[in-house]
Coordinates of all heavy atoms in Angstrom, one line a residue:
M217 N -11.9 26.0 -65.7 CA -11.3 25.2 -64.6 C -12.2 24.1 -64.1 O -12.9 24.3 -63.1 CB -10.9 26.1 -63.4 CG -9.9 25.6 -62.5 SD -9.4 26.8 -61.3 CE -8.5 28.0 -62.3
P218 N -12.4 23.1 -64.9 CA -13.4 22.1 -64.5 C -13.1 21.3 -63.3 O -11.9 21.2 -62.9 CB -13.4 21.2 -65.8 CG -12.0 21.3 -66.3 CD -11.6 22.7 -66.0
H219 N -14.0 20.5 -62.8 CA -13.8 19.6 -61.8 C -13.4 18.2 -62.4 O -13.7 18.0 -63.6 CB -15.1 19.4 -60.9 CG -15.3 20.6 -60.0 ND1 -15.4 21.9 -60.4 CD2 -15.4 20.6 -58.6 CE1 -15.6 22.7 -59.4 NE2 -15.6 21.9 -58.3
V220 N -12.8 17.4 -61.6 CA -12.2 16.2 -62.1 C -12.5 15.1 -61.1 O -12.4 15.3 -59.9 CB -10.6 16.3 -62.2 CG1 -9.9 15.0 -62.5 CG2 -10.3 17.4 -63.2
I221 N -12.8 13.9 -61.6 CA -13.0 12.7 -60.8 C -11.7 11.9 -60.8 O -11.2 11.5 -61.9 CB -14.2 11.8 -61.2 CG1 -15.5 12.7 -61.0 CG2 -14.2 10.6 -60.3 CD1 -16.7 11.9 -61.4
T222 N -11.1 11.7 -59.7 CA -9.8 10.9 -59.7 C -10.1 9.4 -59.5 O -11.2 9.0 -59.3 CB -9.0 11.4 -58.5 OG1 -9.6 11.0 -57.3 CG2 -8.7 12.9 -58.5
R223 N -9.0 8.7 -59.6 CA -9.1 7.2 -59.5 C -9.6 6.7 -58.2 O -9.9 5.5 -58.1 CB -7.7 6.6 -59.8 CG -6.7 7.0 -58.7 CD -5.2 6.8 -59.2 NE -4.8 7.9 -60.1 CZ -3.6 8.1 -60.5 NH1 -2.6 7.3 -60.1 NH2 -3.2 9.2 -61.2
H224 N -9.7 7.6 -57.2 CA -10.3 7.2 -55.9 C -11.8 6.8 -56.0 O -12.3 6.2 -55.0 CB -10.0 8.2 -54.9 CG -8.6 8.4 -54.5 ND1 -8.1 9.5 -53.8 CD2 -7.5 7.5 -54.7 CE1 -6.8 9.3 -53.6 NE2 -6.4 8.1 -54.1
C225 N -12.4 7.1 -57.1 CA -13.8 6.7 -57.3 C -13.9 5.2 -57.5 O -14.9 4.6 -57.1 CB -14.3 7.4 -58.6 SG -15.9 6.8 -59.2
V226 N -12.8 4.6 -58.0 CA -12.8 3.1 -58.3 C -13.1 2.3 -57.0 O -12.6 2.6 -56.0 CB -11.5 2.7 -58.9 CG1 -11.4 1.2 -59.1 CG2 -11.2 3.4 -60.2
G227 N -14.0 1.4 -57.2 CA -14.4 0.5 -56.0 C -15.6 1.0 -55.3 O -16.2 0.3 -54.6
T228 N -15.9 2.3 -55.4 CA -17.1 2.9 -54.8 C -18.1 3.2 -55.9 O -19.2 2.6 -55.9 CB -16.8 4.1 -54.0 OG1 -15.8 3.8 -53.0 CG2 -18.1 4.7 -53.3
C229 N -17.8 4.1 -56.7 CA -18.6 4.4 -58.0 C -20.1 4.3 -57.7 O -20.8 3.6 -58.4 CB -18.1 3.5 -59.1 SG -18.4 4.2 -60.7
D230 N -20.6 5.1 -56.7 CA -22.0 5.0 -56.3 C -22.9 5.9 -57.1 O -24.1 5.9 -56.8 CB -22.1 5.2 -54.8 CG -21.6 6.6 -54.4 OD1 -21.2 7.4 -55.3 OD2 -21.5 6.8 -53.2
T231 N -22.4 6.7 -58.0 CA -23.2 7.7 -58.8 C -23.9 8.8 -58.0 O -24.7 9.5 -58.6 CB -24.2 7.0 -59.7 OG1 -25.4 6.6 -58.9 CG2 -23.7 5.8 -60.4
V232 N -23.5 9.0 -56.8 CA -24.1 10.1 -56.0 C -23.8 11.4 -56.6 O -24.7 12.3 -56.7 CB -23.6 10.0 -54.5 CG1 -24.0 11.3 -53.8 CG2 -24.1 8.8 -53.8
C233 N -22.6 11.6 -57.2 CA -22.3 12.9 -57.8 C -23.2 13.2 -59.0 O -23.4 14.3 -59.3 CB -20.8 12.9 -58.2 SG -20.3 11.5 -59.2
V234 N -23.6 12.1 -59.7 CA -24.4 12.3 -60.9 C -25.7 13.0 -60.5 O -26.2 13.9 -61.2 CB -24.7 10.9 -61.5 CG1 -25.8 11.0 -62.6 CG2 -23.5 10.2 -62.0
E235 N -26.3 12.6 -59.4 CA -27.5 13.2 -58.9 C -27.4 14.7 -58.6 O -28.3 15.5 -58.8 CB -28.0 12.5 -57.7 CG -28.3 11.0 -57.9 CD -29.4 10.8 -58.9 OE1 -30.3 11.5 -59.0 OE2 -29.2 9.8 -59.7
A236 N -26.2 15.1 -58.2 CA -25.9 16.4 -57.8 C -25.7 17.4 -59.0 O -25.8 18.6 -58.8 CB -24.7 16.5 -56.8
C237 N -25.3 16.8 -60.1 CA -24.8 17.7 -61.2 C -26.0 18.3 -62.0 O -26.8 17.5 -62.5 CB -23.9 16.8 -62.1 SG -23.3 17.8 -63.5
P238 N -26.1 19.6 -62.1 CA -27.2 20.2 -62.8 C -27.1 20.2 -64.3 O -28.1 20.5 -65.0 CB -27.1 21.7 -62.3 CG -25.7 21.9 -62.0 CD -25.2 20.6 -61.5
V239 N -25.9 19.8 -64.8 CA -25.8 19.8 -66.3 C -25.5 18.4 -66.9 O -25.2 18.3 -68.1 CB -24.7 20.8 -66.7 CG1 -25.1 22.2 -66.4 CG2 -23.3 20.5 -66.1
E240 N -25.6 17.4 -66.0 CA -25.5 16.0 -66.5 C -24.2 15.8 -67.3 O -24.2 15.2 -68.4 CB -26.7 15.6 -67.3 CG -28.0 15.7 -66.5 CD -29.2 15.2 -67.3 OE1 -29.0 14.7 -68.5 OE2 -30.3 15.3 -66.8
C241 N -23.1 16.3 -66.7 CA -21.8 16.1 -67.4 C -20.9 15.0 -66.8 O -19.7 14.9 -67.1 CB -21.0 17.4 -67.4 SG -20.5 18.0 -65.9
I242 N -21.5 14.2 -65.9 CA -20.7 13.1 -65.3 C -21.2 11.7 -65.9 O -22.4 11.4 -65.8 CB -20.9 13.1 -63.8 CG1 -20.5 14.4 -63.2 CG2 -20.1 11.9 -63.1 CD1 -20.8 14.6 -61.7
H243 N -20.2 11.0 -66.5 CA -20.5 9.8 -67.1 C -19.4 8.8 -67.0 O -18.3 9.2 -66.6 CB -20.8 10.0 -68.6 CG -21.9 11.0 -68.9 ND1 -23.2 10.6 -68.9 CD2 -21.9 12.3 -69.2 CE1 -24.0 11.6 -69.1 NE2 -23.2 12.7 -69.3
G244 N -19.7 7.5 -67.3 CA -18.6 6.5 -67.3 C -18.9 5.5 -68.3 O -19.9 5.6 -69.1
P245 N -18.1 4.4 -68.3 CA -18.3 3.4 -69.3 C -19.5 2.5 -69.1 O -19.9 1.8 -70.0 CB -17.0 2.6 -69.3 CG -16.5 2.8 -67.9 CD -16.9 4.2 -67.5
I246 N -20.0 2.5 -67.9 CA -21.1 1.6 -67.6 C -22.3 2.6 -67.3 O -22.2 3.6 -66.6 CB -20.9 0.8 -66.3 CG1 -19.5 0.1 -66.4 CG2 -22.0 -0.1 -65.9 CD1 -19.5 -1.1 -67.2
P247 N -23.5 2.3 -67.9 CA -24.7 3.1 -67.6 C -24.9 3.3 -66.1 O -24.8 2.3 -65.4 CB -25.8 2.4 -68.3 CG -25.1 1.5 -69.3 CD -23.8 1.1 -68.8
H248 N -25.4 4.5 -65.7 CA -25.6 4.7 -64.3 C -26.6 3.7 -63.7 O -26.4 3.3 -62.6 CB -26.1 6.1 -64.1 CG -25.2 7.2 -64.6 ND1 -23.8 7.2 -64.5 CD2 -25.5 8.4 -65.2 CE1 -23.3 8.2 -65.0 NE2 -24.3 9.0 -65.4
A249 N -27.6 3.4 -64.4 CA -28.7 2.5 -63.9 C -28.1 1.1 -63.7 O -28.5 0.4 -62.7 CB -29.8 2.4 -64.9
T250 N -27.2 0.7 -64.5 CA -26.5 -0.6 -64.3 C -25.7 -0.6 -63.1 O -25.7 -1.6 -62.3 CB -25.6 -0.9 -65.5 OG1 -26.4 -0.9 -66.7 CG2 -25.0 -2.3 -65.4
L251 N -24.9 0.5 -62.8 CA -24.1 0.6 -61.6 C -25.0 0.5 -60.4 O -24.8 -0.2 -59.4 CB -23.3 1.9 -61.6 CG -22.1 1.9 -62.6 CD1 -21.6 3.3 -62.6 CD2 -21.0 0.9 -62.1
R252 N -26.1 1.3 -60.4 CA -27.0 1.4 -59.3 C -27.7 0.1 -58.9 O -28.1 -0.1 -57.8 CB -28.0 2.5 -59.5 CG -27.4 3.9 -59.5 CD -28.5 4.9 -59.9 NE -27.9 6.2 -60.0 CZ -28.2 7.1 -60.9 NH1 -29.1 6.8 -61.8 NH2 -27.6 8.3 -61.0
A253 N -27.8 -0.8 -59.9 CA -28.5 -2.0 -59.7 C -27.7 -3.0 -59.0 O -28.2 -4.1 -58.5 CB -29.0 -2.6 -61.0
V254 N -26.4 -2.8 -58.9 CA -25.5 -3.7 -58.2 C -25.2 -3.2 -56.8 O -24.9 -2.1 -56.6 CB -24.2 -3.8 -59.0 CG1 -23.2 -4.7 -58.2 CG2 -24.4 -4.4 -60.4
P255 N -25.4 -4.1 -55.8 CA -25.1 -3.7 -54.4 C -23.7 -3.1 -54.2 O -22.8 -3.5 -54.9 CB -25.3 -5.0 -53.6 CG -26.1 -5.9 -54.4 CD -25.8 -5.5 -55.9
A256 N -23.6 -2.0 -53.4 CA -22.3 -1.3 -53.3 C -21.2 -2.2 -53.0 O -20.1 -2.1 -53.5 CB -22.5 -0.3 -52.2
A257 N -21.4 -3.2 -52.1 CA -20.3 -4.1 -51.7 C -19.8 -5.0 -52.9 O -18.7 -5.5 -52.9 CB -20.8 -5.0 -50.6
E258 N -20.6 -5.2 -53.9 CA -20.2 -6.0 -55.1 C -19.7 -5.2 -56.2 O -19.2 -5.7 -57.2 CB -21.4 -6.8 -55.5 CG -22.0 -7.8 -54.5 CD -23.3 -8.4 -55.0 OE1 -23.5 -8.5 -56.2 OE2 -24.1 -8.8 -54.1
R259 N -19.9 -3.9 -56.2 CA -19.6 -3.1 -57.4 C -18.2 -3.1 -57.8 O -17.9 -3.3 -59.0 CB -20.0 -1.6 -57.1 CG -20.6 -0.9 -58.2 CD -21.3 0.4 -57.8 NE -22.6 0.2 -57.2 CZ -23.0 0.9 -56.2 NH1 -22.3 1.8 -55.6 NH2 -24.2 0.6 -55.7
G260 N -17.3 -3.1 -56.9 CA -15.8 -3.1 -57.2 C -15.4 -4.4 -57.8 O -14.5 -4.5 -58.7
V261 N -16.1 -5.5 -57.5 CA -15.8 -6.8 -58.0 C -16.4 -7.0 -59.4 O -15.8 -7.5 -60.3 CB -16.3 -7.9 -57.0 CG1 -16.0 -9.3 -57.6 CG2 -15.6 -7.8 -55.7
R262 N -17.7 -6.6 -59.5 CA -18.4 -6.8 -60.8 C -17.9 -5.9 -61.9 O -17.9 -6.2 -63.0 CB -19.9 -6.5 -60.6 CG -20.7 -7.5 -59.7 CD -21.2 -8.6 -60.6 NE -22.1 -8.2 -61.7 CZ -23.4 -8.0 -61.5 NH1 -23.9 -8.1 -60.3 NH2 -24.1 -7.6 -62.5
F263 N -17.4 -4.7 -61.5 CA -16.9 -3.7 -62.4 C -15.5 -3.2 -62.0 O -15.3 -2.1 -61.7 CB -17.9 -2.5 -62.5 CG -19.3 -2.9 -62.8 CD1 -20.3 -2.7 -61.9 CD2 -19.6 -3.4 -64.1 CE1 -21.6 -3.0 -62.1 CE2 -20.9 -3.8 -64.3 CZ -21.9 -3.6 -63.4
P264 N -14.5 -4.1 -62.1 CA -13.2 -3.7 -61.6 C -12.6 -2.6 -62.4 O -12.7 -2.5 -63.7 CB -12.3 -5.0 -61.8 CG -13.1 -5.9 -62.8 CD -14.6 -5.5 -62.6
G265 N -12.1 -1.6 -61.7 CA -11.5 -0.4 -62.4 C -12.4 0.6 -62.9 O -12.0 1.7 -63.4
V266 N -13.7 0.4 -62.7 CA -14.7 1.3 -63.3 C -14.8 2.6 -62.4 O -14.9 2.4 -61.2 CB -16.0 0.7 -63.5 CG1 -17.1 1.7 -63.7 CG2 -16.0 -0.3 -64.7
Q267 N -14.8 3.7 -63.0 CA -15.1 5.0 -62.3 C -15.9 5.9 -63.2 O -16.1 5.6 -64.4 CB -13.8 5.6 -61.9 CG -12.9 6.2 -63.1 CD -11.9 7.2 -62.6 OE1 -10.8 6.8 -62.3 NE2 -12.2 8.4 -62.7
L268 N -16.3 7.0 -62.7 CA -16.9 8.0 -63.5 C -16.0 9.1 -63.8 O -14.9 9.3 -63.2 CB -18.2 8.6 -62.8 CG -19.2 7.6 -62.4 CD1 -20.5 8.3 -61.8 CD2 -19.6 6.7 -63.6
Y269 N -16.3 10.0 -64.8 CA -15.5 11.1 -65.3 C -16.4 12.3 -65.5 O -17.6 12.2 -65.7 CB -14.8 10.7 -66.6 CG -14.1 9.4 -66.6 CD1 -14.6 8.2 -67.0 CD2 -12.8 9.4 -66.1 CE1 -13.9 7.0 -67.0 CE2 -12.1 8.2 -66.0 CZ -12.6 7.0 -66.5 OH -12.0 5.8 -66.4
I270 N -15.7 13.5 -65.4 CA -16.4 14.7 -65.7 C -16.0 15.3 -67.0 O -14.8 15.4 -67.3 CB -16.1 15.7 -64.5 CG1 -16.8 15.2 -63.2 CG2 -16.7 17.1 -64.9 CD1 -16.4 16.0 -62.0
D271 N -17.0 15.7 -67.8 CA -16.7 16.3 -69.1 C -16.2 17.7 -68.9 O -17.0 18.6 -68.5 CB -18.0 16.3 -70.0 CG -17.8 16.8 -71.4 OD1 -16.8 17.5 -71.6 OD2 -18.6 16.4 -72.3
P272 N -14.9 18.0 -69.2 CA -14.4 19.3 -68.9 C -15.0 20.4 -69.7 O -15.0 21.6 -69.3 CB -12.9 19.2 -69.2 CG -12.8 18.0 -70.2 CD -13.9 17.1 -69.8
D273 N -15.6 20.1 -70.9 CA -16.2 21.1 -71.7 C -17.6 21.4 -71.3 O -18.2 22.5 -71.7 CB -16.2 20.7 -73.2 CG -14.8 20.8 -73.8 OD1 -13.9 21.1 -73.0 OD2 -14.7 20.6 -75.0
E274 N -18.2 20.6 -70.5 CA -19.6 20.8 -70.1 C -19.7 21.2 -68.6 O -20.7 21.8 -68.2 CB -20.4 19.5 -70.3 CG -20.5 19.0 -71.7 CD -21.3 20.0 -72.6 OE1 -22.2 20.7 -72.1 OE2 -20.9 20.2 -73.8
C275 N -18.7 20.9 -67.8 CA -18.8 21.2 -66.4 C -18.8 22.8 -66.2 O -18.0 23.5 -66.8 CB -17.5 20.7 -65.7 SG -17.3 21.2 -64.0
I276 N -19.8 23.2 -65.4 CA -19.9 24.7 -65.2 C -19.3 25.1 -63.8 O -19.5 26.2 -63.4 CB -21.4 25.1 -65.2 CG1 -22.2 24.4 -64.1 CG2 -21.9 24.9 -66.6 CD1 -23.6 24.9 -64.0
D277 N -18.5 24.2 -63.2 CA -17.8 24.5 -62.0 C -18.7 25.0 -60.9 O -18.3 25.9 -60.1 CB -16.7 25.6 -62.3 CG -15.4 24.9 -62.8 OD1 -15.2 23.8 -62.6 OD2 -14.7 25.7 -63.5
C278 N -19.8 24.4 -60.8 CA -20.7 24.8 -59.7 C -20.3 24.3 -58.3 O -20.7 24.8 -57.3 CB -22.2 24.4 -60.0 SG -22.4 22.6 -59.9
G279 N -19.6 23.2 -58.4 CA -19.1 22.6 -57.1 C -20.1 21.7 -56.4 O -19.8 21.2 -55.3
A280 N -21.3 21.5 -57.0 CA -22.3 20.8 -56.3 C -22.0 19.3 -56.0 O -22.4 18.7 -55.1 CB -23.6 20.8 -57.1
C281 N -21.1 18.7 -56.9 CA -20.7 17.3 -56.7 C -19.7 17.1 -55.6 O -19.6 16.1 -55.1 CB -20.2 16.8 -58.1 SG -18.8 17.8 -58.7
L282 N -18.9 18.2 -55.4 CA -17.7 18.1 -54.6 C -17.9 17.4 -53.2 O -17.3 16.5 -52.8 CB -17.1 19.5 -54.4 CG -15.6 19.6 -54.2 CD1 -14.8 18.9 -55.3 CD2 -15.2 21.1 -54.1
G283 N -18.9 18.0 -52.5 CA -19.1 17.5 -51.1 C -19.9 16.3 -51.0 O -20.1 15.7 -49.9
Q284 N -20.4 15.8 -52.2 CA -21.2 14.6 -52.2 C -20.5 13.3 -52.2 O -21.0 12.3 -51.8 CB -22.2 14.6 -53.4 CG -23.0 15.8 -53.5 CD -24.0 15.9 -52.4 OE1 -24.6 14.9 -52.0 NE2 -24.2 17.1 -51.8
C285 N -19.2 13.3 -52.6 CA -18.5 12.1 -52.8 C -18.0 11.5 -51.5 O -17.3 12.2 -50.7 CB -17.3 12.4 -53.7 SG -16.3 10.9 -54.0
P286 N -18.4 10.2 -51.2 CA -18.1 9.6 -50.0 C -16.6 9.3 -49.8 O -16.1 9.0 -48.7 CB -18.9 8.4 -49.9 CG -19.1 8.0 -51.4 CD -19.2 9.4 -52.1
V287 N -15.8 9.3 -50.9 CA -14.4 9.0 -50.9 C -13.5 10.2 -51.3 O -12.3 10.0 -51.6 CB -14.1 7.7 -51.7 CG1 -14.7 6.5 -51.1 CG2 -14.6 7.9 -53.2
S288 N -14.1 11.4 -51.4 CA -13.4 12.6 -51.7 C -12.6 12.4 -53.0 O -11.4 12.8 -53.1 CB -12.5 13.0 -50.6 OG -13.2 13.2 -49.4
A289 N -13.2 11.8 -54.0 CA -12.6 11.6 -55.3 C -12.6 12.8 -56.2 O -11.9 12.8 -57.3 CB -13.2 10.4 -56.0
I290 N -13.4 13.8 -55.9 CA -13.6 14.9 -56.8 C -12.9 16.1 -56.3 O -12.9 16.5 -55.2 CB -15.1 15.2 -57.0 CG1 -15.9 14.0 -57.3 CG2 -15.3 16.3 -58.0 CD1 -17.4 14.2 -57.3
H291 N -12.2 16.8 -57.3 CA -11.4 18.0 -57.0 C -11.6 19.0 -58.1 O -11.8 18.6 -59.3 CB -9.9 17.7 -56.9 CG -9.6 16.6 -55.9 ND1 -9.3 16.9 -54.6 CD2 -9.5 15.3 -56.0 CE1 -9.1 15.8 -53.9 NE2 -9.2 14.8 -54.7
M292 N -11.4 20.3 -57.8 CA -11.2 21.2 -58.9 C -9.9 20.9 -59.6 O -9.0 20.4 -58.9 CB -11.2 22.7 -58.4 CG -12.5 23.2 -58.1 SD -12.4 25.0 -57.6 CE -12.1 25.7 -59.2
D293 N -9.8 21.1 -60.9 CA -8.5 20.6 -61.6 C -7.3 21.3 -61.0 O -6.2 20.6 -60.9 CB -8.6 20.8 -63.1 CG -8.7 22.2 -63.6 OD1 -8.8 23.2 -62.7 OD2 -8.6 22.4 -64.8
C294 N -7.4 22.5 -60.5 CA -6.2 23.2 -59.9 C -5.9 22.6 -58.5 O -4.8 22.8 -58.0 CB -6.4 24.7 -59.8 SG -7.9 25.2 -58.8
D295 N -6.8 21.9 -57.9 CA -6.6 21.3 -56.6 C -6.3 19.8 -56.6 O -6.2 19.2 -55.5 CB -7.8 21.6 -55.7 CG -8.0 23.0 -55.4 OD1 -6.9 23.8 -55.4 OD2 -9.1 23.5 -55.1
V296 N -6.2 19.2 -57.8 CA -5.9 17.8 -57.8 C -4.6 17.5 -57.2 O -3.6 18.1 -57.7 CB -6.0 17.2 -59.3 CG1 -5.6 15.7 -59.3 CG2 -7.4 17.4 -59.8
P297 N -4.4 16.6 -56.2 CA -3.1 16.3 -55.6 C -2.1 15.8 -56.7 O -2.5 15.2 -57.7 CB -3.4 15.2 -54.6 CG -4.9 15.4 -54.3 CD -5.5 15.9 -55.6
G298 N -0.9 16.1 -56.4 CA 0.2 15.8 -57.4 C 0.2 14.4 -57.9 O 0.3 14.2 -59.1
E299 N 0.0 13.4 -57.0 CA 0.1 12.0 -57.5 C -1.1 11.6 -58.3 O -1.1 10.5 -58.9 CB 0.3 11.1 -56.3 CG -1.0 10.9 -55.4 CD -1.1 12.0 -54.3 OE1 -0.5 13.1 -54.5 OE2 -1.9 11.9 -53.4
L300 N -2.2 12.5 -58.4 CA -3.4 12.1 -59.1 C -3.6 13.0 -60.3 O -4.6 12.9 -61.0 CB -4.6 12.3 -58.2 CG -4.6 11.4 -56.9 CD1 -5.8 11.8 -56.1 CD2 -4.7 9.9 -57.3
R301 N -2.6 13.9 -60.7 CA -2.8 14.9 -61.7 C -3.0 14.3 -63.1 O -3.6 14.9 -64.0 CB -1.7 15.9 -61.7 CG -1.7 16.8 -60.4 CD -1.0 18.1 -60.5 NE -1.6 19.0 -61.5 CZ -2.7 19.8 -61.3 NH1 -3.3 19.7 -60.1 NH2 -3.2 20.6 -62.2
D302 N -2.5 13.1 -63.3 CA -2.7 12.4 -64.6 C -4.2 12.2 -64.8 O -4.7 12.1 -66.0 CB -2.1 11.0 -64.6 CG -0.6 11.1 -64.7 OD1 0.0 12.2 -64.9 OD2 0.1 10.0 -64.6
D303 N -5.0 12.2 -63.8 CA -6.4 11.9 -63.9 C -7.2 13.1 -64.6 O -8.3 12.9 -65.1 CB -7.1 11.6 -62.5 CG -6.6 10.3 -62.0 OD1 -6.0 9.5 -62.7 OD2 -6.8 10.0 -60.8
I304 N -6.6 14.3 -64.6 CA -7.1 15.4 -65.3 C -7.3 15.1 -66.8 O -8.3 15.2 -67.4 CB -6.3 16.7 -65.1 CG1 -6.3 17.1 -63.6 CG2 -6.8 17.8 -66.0 CD1 -5.3 18.2 -63.3
E305 N -6.2 14.5 -67.3 CA -6.2 14.2 -68.8 C -7.1 12.9 -69.0 O -7.8 12.8 -70.0 CB -4.8 13.9 -69.3 CG -4.8 13.6 -70.8 CD -3.4 13.6 -71.4 OE1 -2.4 13.9 -70.7 OE2 -3.4 13.3 -72.6
V306 N -7.1 12.0 -68.0 CA -7.9 10.8 -68.2 C -9.4 11.2 -68.3 O -10.1 10.7 -69.1 CB -7.7 9.9 -67.0 CG1 -8.7 8.7 -67.0 CG2 -6.3 9.3 -67.0
N307 N -9.8 12.2 -67.5 CA -11.2 12.6 -67.6 C -11.5 13.2 -68.9 O -12.5 12.9 -69.6 CB -11.5 13.7 -66.5 CG -11.9 13.1 -65.1 OD1 -13.0 13.3 -64.6 ND2 -11.0 12.3 -64.5
A308 N -10.6 14.1 -69.4 CA -10.8 14.8 -70.7 C -10.8 13.8 -71.8 O -11.7 13.8 -72.7 CB -9.7 15.8 -70.9
R309 N -9.9 12.8 -71.8 CA -9.8 11.8 -72.8 C -11.0 11.0 -73.0 O -11.4 10.6 -74.0 CB -8.5 11.0 -72.6 CG -7.9 10.4 -73.9 CD -6.8 9.5 -73.6 NE -5.8 10.0 -72.7 CZ -5.3 9.3 -71.7 NH1 -5.7 8.0 -71.5 NH2 -4.4 9.8 -70.9
F310 N -11.7 10.7 -71.8 CA -12.8 9.8 -71.9 C -13.9 10.4 -72.8 O -14.7 9.7 -73.4 CB -13.4 9.6 -70.4 CG -14.6 8.8 -70.4 CD1 -14.5 7.4 -70.5 CD2 -15.9 9.3 -70.4 CE1 -15.7 6.6 -70.5 CE2 -17.0 8.5 -70.4 CZ -16.9 7.1 -70.4
F311 N -14.0 11.7 -72.8 CA -15.0 12.4 -73.6 C -14.4 12.9 -75.0 O -15.1 13.6 -75.7 CB -15.5 13.6 -72.9 CG -16.3 13.3 -71.6 CD1 -15.6 13.3 -70.4 CD2 -17.6 12.8 -71.6 CE1 -16.3 12.9 -69.2 CE2 -18.2 12.4 -70.5 CZ -17.6 12.5 -69.3
G312 N -13.1 12.6 -75.2 CA -12.5 13.0 -76.5 C -12.2 14.5 -76.5 O -12.1 15.1 -77.5
R313 N -12.0 15.0 -75.3 CA -11.7 16.5 -75.1 C -10.2 16.7 -74.9 O -9.5 15.8 -74.5 CB -12.4 17.1 -73.9 CG -13.8 16.8 -73.7 CD -14.7 17.4 -74.8 NE -16.1 17.4 -74.4 CZ -17.1 17.6 -75.2 NH1 -16.9 17.9 -76.5 NH2 -18.3 17.6 -74.8
K314 N -9.8 17.9 -75.2 CA -8.4 18.3 -74.9 C -8.4 19.0 -73.5 O -9.4 19.6 -73.1 CB -7.9 19.3 -75.9 CG -7.8 18.8 -77.3 CD -6.4 19.0 -77.8 CE -6.3 18.6 -79.3 NZ -6.2 17.2 -79.5
V315 N -7.3 18.8 -72.7 CA -7.2 19.5 -71.4 C -7.1 21.0 -71.7 O -6.4 21.4 -72.5 CB -6.0 19.0 -70.7 CG1 -5.8 19.8 -69.4 CG2 -6.1 17.5 -70.4
R316 N -8.0 21.7 -71.0 CA -8.0 23.2 -71.2 C -6.8 23.8 -70.5 O -6.3 23.3 -69.5 CB -9.3 23.8 -70.6 CG -10.5 23.5 -71.5 CD -11.6 24.4 -71.0 NE -12.7 23.7 -70.3 CZ -13.5 24.2 -69.4 NH1 -13.4 25.4 -69.0 NH2 -14.4 23.4 -68.9
Ligands
LIG757 S1 -18.8 21.0 -60.6 FE1 -21.0 21.2 -61.0 S2 -21.2 21.1 -63.2 FE2 -19.2 20.3 -62.7 S3 -19.4 18.1 -62.5 FE3 -19.7 18.9 -60.5 S4 -21.9 19.2 -60.3 FE4 -21.4 19.0 -62.5
LIG758 S1 -19.7 10.3 -55.7 FE1 -17.5 9.8 -55.7 S2 -17.3 7.6 -55.6 FE2 -19.5 8.1 -56.2 S3 -19.4 8.0 -58.4 FE3 -19.1 10.1 -57.9 S4 -16.8 10.3 -57.8 FE4 -17.3 8.1 -57.8

């Protein structure tokens, strides 16, 4: 039952969750260092639509990332709100995984 990053990450994408993760299973299409180099206010404009994802096969469900997100974009997969449930598959697909 992995954790999932929903689309609410888009526009913030500050990589705070990355620092919290003990198994380095949070990644996205843009390198973390590149994201961090852009001021927060410009991130959504410079990287439209960009968000991070959690690798469902690597996540150990420790929950360390959950309370760190400033926009509450992270949920356990069983707790992802109905209108965001497609994001479970989006996270898995980013890593070429199947939804468990
Ligand atoms: S729940 Fe733990 S292992 Fe999974 S992504 Fe969050 S910090 Fe990483
Ligand atoms: S902490 Fe939240 S907003 Fe920041 S990168 Fe992680 S999921 Fe996205």
Side-chain angles (χ1 to χ4, degrees):
M217 200 175 294
H219 284 56
V220 171
I221 298 179
T222 66
R223 66 199 77 170
H224 290 165
C225 171
V226 173
T228 302
C229 206
D230 58 5
T231 75
V232 169
C233 54
V234 172
E235 300 301 321
C237 182
V239 295
E240 299 183 6
C241 68
I242 302 176
H243 300 280
I246 308 286
H248 301 322
T250 304
L251 287 171
R252 289 175 186 140
V254 175
E258 296 173 26
R259 215 167 283 141
V261 176
R262 289 274 301 278
F263 305 113
V266 165
Q267 68 164 87
L268 302 187
Y269 306 97
I270 293 173
D271 185 334
D273 286 7
E274 298 297 327
C275 175
I276 59 170
D277 275 337
C278 69
C281 57
L282 207 57
Q284 302 296 316
C285 181
V287 291
S288 300
I290 306 173
H291 304 270
M292 282 185 76
D293 66 351
C294 58
D295 290 334
V296 174
E299 71 277 14
L300 301 173
R301 292 201 65 81
D302 288 353
D303 292 348
I304 298 171
E305 185 171 354
V306 172
N307 276 242
R309 206 185 314 132
F310 180 80
F311 297 97
R313 311 292 195 195
K314 297 235 185 280
V315 174
R316 284 193 251 154

